[in-house]
Amino acid sequence: MISIRTAFAAVLFHLILAASASAQDVTLTSRDGSVEIAGTLLGYDGEFYRVDSDYGVLTVDGTGVLCAGPGCPDLAAFVANIAVSGAGTIANQLMPSLLEAFARHQGYTAQRLVTSDAEFSYVLNESDTGRTAARFTIRVTTSDEGFADLLSDEADIAMSLREVLPEEVTRGIEAGLGRLSSPAQNRVVALDALVPVVSPRNSVLEISPEELSQVFSGEISNWQELGGIDAPIVLHAPDQKSSILNVFLETIVLPAGRHLSANVQRHRTNSELVDAVARDPFAVGLSTLSGPGNARALTLTGGCGFRSGAVPEALKSEDYPLTAPLFLYLKGRRLPAVGREFMRFTQSPAAQIAVLRAGFVDQGIARTPVRRQGERLANAIRNAGPEIGLTELKRLVAALDGSRRLSVTFRFDDGASTLDAQSRSNVILLARALETGTIGANELTFVGFSDGLGAAGANKRLSRQRAASVRQAVLQEATTADLGRTSLTVDGFGEAMPMACDDTEWGRQVNRRVEIWSR
């Protein structure tokens, strides 16, 4: 019995040693031999090793160490594999355009390989050697599933038509993936918009957000109530998983205490929806600016002179209330070098051309002279309350005379001082323009406006404070800007130039803003 026990113990001991050896499958040694780290290789991105060691998970610069052990990668044959998952609109329309433009810009050849309706990949090869440098695998899912794949470590990049939810931020922190809501971990790469569409045979040309909310909740059910013919309204909308539909619900319907009608006809794809609407003169649908098909978009109108079509300038400035940014979200870990180069490329002028080719609105900075702001200025005079006198309106006109409004506008979440997602992206956009000198102005003025709730004096002070906070955020980001070339000033006019009435949350949201004027 003793010999059997001894033999069993010896076998067990060797199994433990073997398991220990396989667990520590790499050893990284500094080139001078002074430091040695052993552990399980979690990943290699072409530059850095991630090792689970006795000291925890370490990231080690590959140029400073030698790797030994069965887990060491073949450095010469390394291929950066980057998994991307999320919204089909981004996956099918935008990502191919961006990846193909990126390949041309970096000197790669790009080969598209289709695995199934729900997955395809782009293989990037070096043009001179033919060596494969990277493989981007694109999973066509939804915004929700994109975040789920990111949080479960099955994707490196999530494509989304909505902002990350608070519970997803919490799960990301708990999983050691960083704070997904941090500006460092997400990018707005393009802009789209939700637009109400009708058949070209429908006589109605415009609709207010309030009326749109009433139509899709079933409170308005006949076109005659909207100035059309006496006929029932037939409702069409995307399916329940649509992130674009959520933009409409959260912006227009739910804040008014309404819910989507049970009589809505659902559609799996946007093309199916617009085709159905285009055929039916009594139909109205919720489509996107990037895919209106043969249907005709309605202009959004409202009280206090509000009128906005889904045109690029209105989307860039968020003057159109149903603007929908397209996001890429990252984990708080280093992407391989090719992945980091791609993310930088998405913010470049070359990428903006690719965005336009894909049918979306780019983030290039547009400039509108004050002489083309006549309708807005007339509206300011027409809707000025008793607390806004002629003197303040004259000061407003004098301050903006000879200037051009930039399309980068900053708006805030729920009346707070926190910038919304598109505005956080605009901070980086404006900072880069200052750093590169492409802004082309001697003076930029950050001009704050408020809604009309509260006293005019307090609103004026608040609007100036918000303008100053946006200026500070841009300065903190523009670390290499030559501020001797462009001066940055601040002004605030409170409620002096409303763009919509304050009787709805979306109207107040449109009014609370910081505009950028250049001269």
Side-chain angles (χ1 to χ4, degrees):
M1 291 291 294
I2 296 175
S3 61
I4 293 176
R5 288 175 180 166
T6 303
F8 177 77
V11 171
L12 183 61
F13 177 73
H14 285 294
L15 286 173
I16 293 172
L17 283 180
S20 176
S22 63
Q24 296 187 338
D25 56 1
V26 297
T27 300
L28 304 179
T29 307
S30 63
R31 295 188 179 275
D32 62 5
S34 61
V35 178
E36 185 176 280
I37 298 171
T40 302
L41 183 67
L42 299 178
Y44 176 70
D45 66 4
E47 296 177 296
F48 285 77
Y49 297 94
R50 285 186 68 245
V51 179
D52 187 2
S53 72
D54 292 338
Y55 309 101
V57 177
L58 302 176
T59 301
V60 182
D61 187 346
T63 61
V65 297
L66 300 174
C67 184
C72 290
D74 183 347
L75 304 186
F78 172 77
V79 176
N81 287 295
I82 300 165
V84 188
S85 175
T89 300
I90 303 176
N92 289 322
Q93 292 178 241
L94 182 59
M95 286 299 286
S97 184
L98 284 174
L99 284 169
E100 290 168 10
F102 170 69
R104 290 192 298 270
H105 188 266
Q106 297 295 111
Y108 296 122
T109 60
Q111 181 183 13
R112 178 169 176 163
L113 304 175
V114 178
T115 307
S116 67
D117 289 343
E119 184 175 298
F120 61 93
S121 62
Y122 271 89
V123 178
L124 306 187
N125 299 315
E126 295 177 351
S127 299
D128 51 351
T129 66
R131 186 186 76 83
T132 299
R135 181 181 293 104
F136 287 79
T137 301
I138 315 297
R139 287 192 62 215
V140 185
T141 59
T142 64
S143 298
D144 292 349
E145 292 182 47
F147 281 118
D149 286 345
L150 192 73
L151 293 168
S152 62
D153 231 3
E154 296 179 22
D156 302 296
I157 302 172
M159 303 172 287
S160 180
L161 299 176
R162 64 165 174 83
E163 289 189 66
V164 63
L165 301 175
E167 55 266 32
E168 291 166 336
V169 174
T170 300
R171 286 172 54 198
I173 294 171
E174 292 172 348
L177 302 179
R179 183 177 292 276
L180 294 176
S181 58
S182 164
Q185 289 186 230
N186 60 78
R187 306 278 190 281
V188 174
V189 290
L191 301 173
D192 204 352
L194 186 140
V195 292
V197 293
V198 296
S199 167
R201 292 178 289 165
N202 193 308
S203 62
V204 174
L205 301 176
E206 55 190 35
I207 191 170
S208 74
E210 175 66 13
E211 290 170 334
L212 193 61
S213 173
Q214 292 174 313
V215 165
F216 275 88
S217 67
E219 293 179 24
I220 293 178
S221 58
N222 193 294
W223 283 107
Q224 198 169 37
E225 299 178 70
L226 300 174
I229 63 173
D230 183 9
I233 299 175
V234 182
L235 304 175
H236 295 263
D239 65 30
Q240 292 178 329
K241 292 184 178 180
S242 169
S243 297
I244 283 289
L245 178 61
N246 287 334
V247 171
F248 174 64
L249 294 176
E250 294 174 5
T251 305
I252 301 298
V253 178
L254 298 179
R258 299 187 177 99
H259 298 279
L260 201 62
S261 169
N263 295 324
V264 174
Q265 297 183 29
R266 303 281 189 170
H267 297 271
R268 187 177 59 86
T269 66
N270 189 72
S271 59
E272 290 177 2
L273 185 152
V274 296
D275 286 346
V277 171
R279 291 192 300 266
D280 185 354
F282 306 135
V284 62
L286 297 171
S287 179
T288 60
L289 178 64
S290 58
N294 293 320
R296 174 171 54 78
L298 295 177
T299 298
L300 288 185
T301 62
C304 305
F306 174 80
R307 182 183 178 87
S308 180
V311 297
E313 291 79 6
L315 268 63
K316 292 179 181 184
S317 61
E318 286 190 275
D319 291 350
Y320 185 75
L322 295 177
T323 299
L326 278 59
F327 297 94
L328 296 182
Y329 279 85
L330 310 170
K331 295 179 289 193
R333 297 176 186 164
R334 291 173 58 93
L335 283 172
V338 175
R340 299 198 304 275
E341 290 166 359
F342 171 71
M343 291 305 299
R344 283 193 292 269
F345 173 79
T346 62
Q347 306 295 302
S348 70
Q352 304 315 305
I353 297 173
V355 167
L356 289 171
R357 285 176 175 167
F360 298 97
V361 174
D362 68 292
Q363 296 183 88
I365 298 176
R367 298 164 176 81
T368 304
V370 71
R371 65 178 178 272
R372 287 176 52 192
Q373 300 284 321
E375 184 176 344
R376 288 212 311 154
L377 293 172
N379 198 45
I381 296 171
R382 182 168 53 248
N383 292 292
E387 295 181 291
I388 301 297
L390 182 60
T391 301
E392 186 67 1
L393 292 175
K394 285 183 175 180
R395 189 176 78 85
L396 173 82
V397 174
L400 304 182
D401 188 31
S403 300
R404 295 181 297 172
R405 183 192 176 191
L406 304 188
S407 57
V408 280
T409 300
F410 301 86
R411 285 188 164 85
F412 304 85
D413 288 324
D414 301 326
S417 58
T418 307
L419 291 172
D420 66 20
Q422 185 172 333
S423 298
R424 292 195 296 271
S425 181
N426 283 344
V427 168
I428 298 173
L429 185 68
L430 184 57
R432 296 294 171 267
L434 285 171
E435 288 179 329
T436 57
T438 56
I439 204 69
N442 296 321
E443 180 183 2
L444 289 184
T445 303
F446 292 70
V447 184
F449 297 96
S450 72
D451 58 39
L453 300 184
N459 285 336
K460 182 178 177 180
R461 289 190 296 272
L462 178 61
S463 67
R464 187 180 179 88
Q465 289 168 3
R466 284 177 172 161
S469 69
V470 171
R471 176 184 180 275
Q472 184 60 30
V474 171
L475 285 174
Q476 288 177 348
E477 184 67 32
T479 55
T480 63
D482 180 6
L483 297 181
R485 180 186 304 174
T486 305
S487 66
L488 307 182
T489 61
V490 169
D491 210 336
F493 293 94
E495 58 199 75
M497 193 188 289
M499 299 186 66
C501 289
D502 288 322
D503 55 359
T504 61
E505 176 51 41
W506 69 264
R508 294 188 290 273
Q509 180 82 3
V510 168
N511 288 336
R512 296 187 296 259
R513 67 199 186 276
V514 174
E515 299 179 356
I516 311 299
W517 289 77
S518 70
R519 59 159 51 93

Short mmCIF file of all heavy atoms in Angstrom, two decimals, residues 171-193:
data_model
loop_
_atom_site.label_atom_id
_atom_site.label_comp_id
_atom_site.label_asym_id
_atom_site.label_seq_id
_atom_site.Cartn_x
_atom_site.Cartn_y
_atom_site.Cartn_z
N ARG A 171 -21.00 47.74 -15.80
CA ARG A 171 -20.50 46.41 -16.13
C ARG A 171 -19.10 46.48 -16.73
O ARG A 171 -18.25 45.61 -16.47
CB ARG A 171 -21.45 45.71 -17.10
CG ARG A 171 -22.75 45.24 -16.45
CD ARG A 171 -23.73 44.75 -17.51
NE ARG A 171 -23.13 43.73 -18.36
CZ ARG A 171 -23.62 43.39 -19.55
NH1 ARG A 171 -24.68 44.00 -20.04
NH2 ARG A 171 -23.03 42.44 -20.26
N GLY A 172 -18.84 47.50 -17.53
CA GLY A 172 -17.51 47.66 -18.11
C GLY A 172 -16.44 47.91 -17.05
O GLY A 172 -15.34 47.36 -17.12
N ILE A 173 -16.78 48.74 -16.08
CA ILE A 173 -15.84 49.01 -14.98
C ILE A 173 -15.57 47.74 -14.19
O ILE A 173 -14.42 47.41 -13.86
CB ILE A 173 -16.39 50.13 -14.07
CG1 ILE A 173 -16.46 51.45 -14.83
CG2 ILE A 173 -15.54 50.28 -12.81
CD1 ILE A 173 -17.18 52.56 -14.09
N GLU A 174 -16.65 46.99 -13.88
CA GLU A 174 -16.50 45.75 -13.12
C GLU A 174 -15.67 44.72 -13.87
O GLU A 174 -14.96 43.91 -13.26
CB GLU A 174 -17.88 45.18 -12.79
CG GLU A 174 -18.69 46.03 -11.81
CD GLU A 174 -20.12 45.56 -11.67
OE1 GLU A 174 -20.56 44.71 -12.50
OE2 GLU A 174 -20.82 46.03 -10.74
N ALA A 175 -15.75 44.73 -15.20
CA ALA A 175 -15.00 43.76 -16.01
C ALA A 175 -13.57 44.22 -16.30
O ALA A 175 -12.83 43.53 -17.01
CB ALA A 175 -15.74 43.51 -17.32
N GLY A 176 -13.18 45.38 -15.78
CA GLY A 176 -11.83 45.89 -16.01
C GLY A 176 -11.62 46.45 -17.40
O GLY A 176 -10.49 46.49 -17.89
N LEU A 177 -12.72 46.89 -18.05
CA LEU A 177 -12.63 47.41 -19.42
C LEU A 177 -12.63 48.93 -19.48
O LEU A 177 -12.75 49.50 -20.56
CB LEU A 177 -13.80 46.87 -20.25
CG LEU A 177 -13.91 45.35 -20.32
CD1 LEU A 177 -15.12 44.94 -21.15
CD2 LEU A 177 -12.65 44.73 -20.91
N GLY A 178 -12.49 49.59 -18.34
CA GLY A 178 -12.49 51.04 -18.31
C GLY A 178 -13.90 51.61 -18.25
O GLY A 178 -14.88 50.88 -18.10
N ARG A 179 -13.99 52.93 -18.36
CA ARG A 179 -15.28 53.62 -18.33
C ARG A 179 -15.69 53.93 -19.77
O ARG A 179 -15.13 54.83 -20.41
CB ARG A 179 -15.18 54.89 -17.51
CG ARG A 179 -16.51 55.66 -17.36
CD ARG A 179 -16.35 56.88 -16.47
NE ARG A 179 -16.08 56.51 -15.10
CZ ARG A 179 -17.02 56.20 -14.20
NH1 ARG A 179 -18.29 56.21 -14.55
NH2 ARG A 179 -16.68 55.87 -12.98
N LEU A 180 -16.67 53.19 -20.29
CA LEU A 180 -17.05 53.33 -21.69
C LEU A 180 -17.60 54.71 -22.02
O LEU A 180 -17.57 55.13 -23.18
CB LEU A 180 -18.09 52.27 -22.05
CG LEU A 180 -17.60 50.81 -22.02
CD1 LEU A 180 -18.74 49.86 -22.31
CD2 LEU A 180 -16.48 50.61 -23.02
N SER A 181 -18.10 55.42 -21.02
CA SER A 181 -18.62 56.77 -21.27
C SER A 181 -17.52 57.82 -21.35
O SER A 181 -17.78 58.97 -21.69
CB SER A 181 -19.61 57.16 -20.17
OG SER A 181 -18.99 57.10 -18.89
N SER A 182 -16.28 57.43 -21.05
CA SER A 182 -15.17 58.38 -21.12
C SER A 182 -14.91 58.77 -22.58
O SER A 182 -14.96 57.92 -23.48
CB SER A 182 -13.91 57.73 -20.53
OG SER A 182 -12.75 58.45 -20.91
N PRO A 183 -14.62 60.06 -22.83
CA PRO A 183 -14.31 60.49 -24.20
C PRO A 183 -13.17 59.71 -24.84
O PRO A 183 -13.12 59.57 -26.06
CB PRO A 183 -13.95 61.97 -24.04
CG PRO A 183 -14.67 62.40 -22.80
CD PRO A 183 -14.65 61.21 -21.90
N ALA A 184 -12.27 59.17 -24.00
CA ALA A 184 -11.14 58.40 -24.54
C ALA A 184 -11.57 57.05 -25.09
O ALA A 184 -10.83 56.42 -25.84
CB ALA A 184 -10.08 58.20 -23.45
N GLN A 185 -12.78 56.60 -24.75
CA GLN A 185 -13.22 55.26 -25.14
C GLN A 185 -14.39 55.27 -26.12
O GLN A 185 -15.01 54.23 -26.35
CB GLN A 185 -13.57 54.42 -23.91
CG GLN A 185 -12.34 54.03 -23.11
CD GLN A 185 -12.65 53.08 -21.97
OE1 GLN A 185 -12.24 53.30 -20.84
NE2 GLN A 185 -13.34 51.99 -22.26
N ASN A 186 -14.71 56.41 -26.69
CA ASN A 186 -15.75 56.43 -27.72
C ASN A 186 -15.50 57.56 -28.70
O ASN A 186 -14.87 58.55 -28.37
CB ASN A 186 -17.15 56.51 -27.12
CG ASN A 186 -17.37 57.76 -26.29
OD1 ASN A 186 -17.59 58.84 -26.83
ND2 ASN A 186 -17.33 57.63 -24.98
N ARG A 187 -15.98 57.37 -29.91
CA ARG A 187 -15.83 58.36 -30.97
C ARG A 187 -17.16 58.50 -31.71
O ARG A 187 -17.84 57.51 -31.97
CB ARG A 187 -14.80 57.92 -32.01
CG ARG A 187 -13.43 57.56 -31.48
CD ARG A 187 -12.57 58.78 -31.25
NE ARG A 187 -11.21 58.38 -30.97
CZ ARG A 187 -10.76 57.93 -29.80
NH1 ARG A 187 -11.61 57.81 -28.79
NH2 ARG A 187 -9.50 57.59 -29.63
N VAL A 188 -17.53 59.71 -32.05
CA VAL A 188 -18.59 59.94 -33.04
C VAL A 188 -17.90 59.96 -34.39
O VAL A 188 -17.04 60.80 -34.64
CB VAL A 188 -19.34 61.25 -32.77
CG1 VAL A 188 -20.33 61.53 -33.89
CG2 VAL A 188 -20.06 61.20 -31.43
N VAL A 189 -18.25 59.03 -35.27
CA VAL A 189 -17.55 58.92 -36.55
C VAL A 189 -18.37 59.47 -37.71
O VAL A 189 -17.83 59.68 -38.80
CB VAL A 189 -17.14 57.45 -36.84
CG1 VAL A 189 -16.04 57.02 -35.90
CG2 VAL A 189 -18.34 56.52 -36.73
N ALA A 190 -19.67 59.67 -37.52
CA ALA A 190 -20.52 60.22 -38.57
C ALA A 190 -21.84 60.63 -37.93
O ALA A 190 -22.09 60.36 -36.76
CB ALA A 190 -20.75 59.19 -39.67
N LEU A 191 -22.67 61.29 -38.73
CA LEU A 191 -23.97 61.74 -38.23
C LEU A 191 -25.07 61.24 -39.16
O LEU A 191 -24.92 61.22 -40.38
CB LEU A 191 -24.02 63.27 -38.15
CG LEU A 191 -22.98 63.94 -37.27
CD1 LEU A 191 -23.04 65.45 -37.43
CD2 LEU A 191 -23.17 63.56 -35.80
N ASP A 192 -26.17 60.84 -38.56
CA ASP A 192 -27.38 60.49 -39.30
C ASP A 192 -28.53 61.19 -38.59
O ASP A 192 -28.32 61.93 -37.62
CB ASP A 192 -27.58 58.97 -39.32
CG ASP A 192 -28.44 58.50 -40.50
OD1 ASP A 192 -29.00 59.35 -41.20
OD2 ASP A 192 -28.55 57.28 -40.70
N ALA A 193 -29.73 61.00 -39.05
CA ALA A 193 -30.88 61.62 -38.40
C ALA A 193 -32.11 60.78 -38.65
O ALA A 193 -32.22 60.06 -39.65
CB ALA A 193 -31.11 63.04 -38.93
#
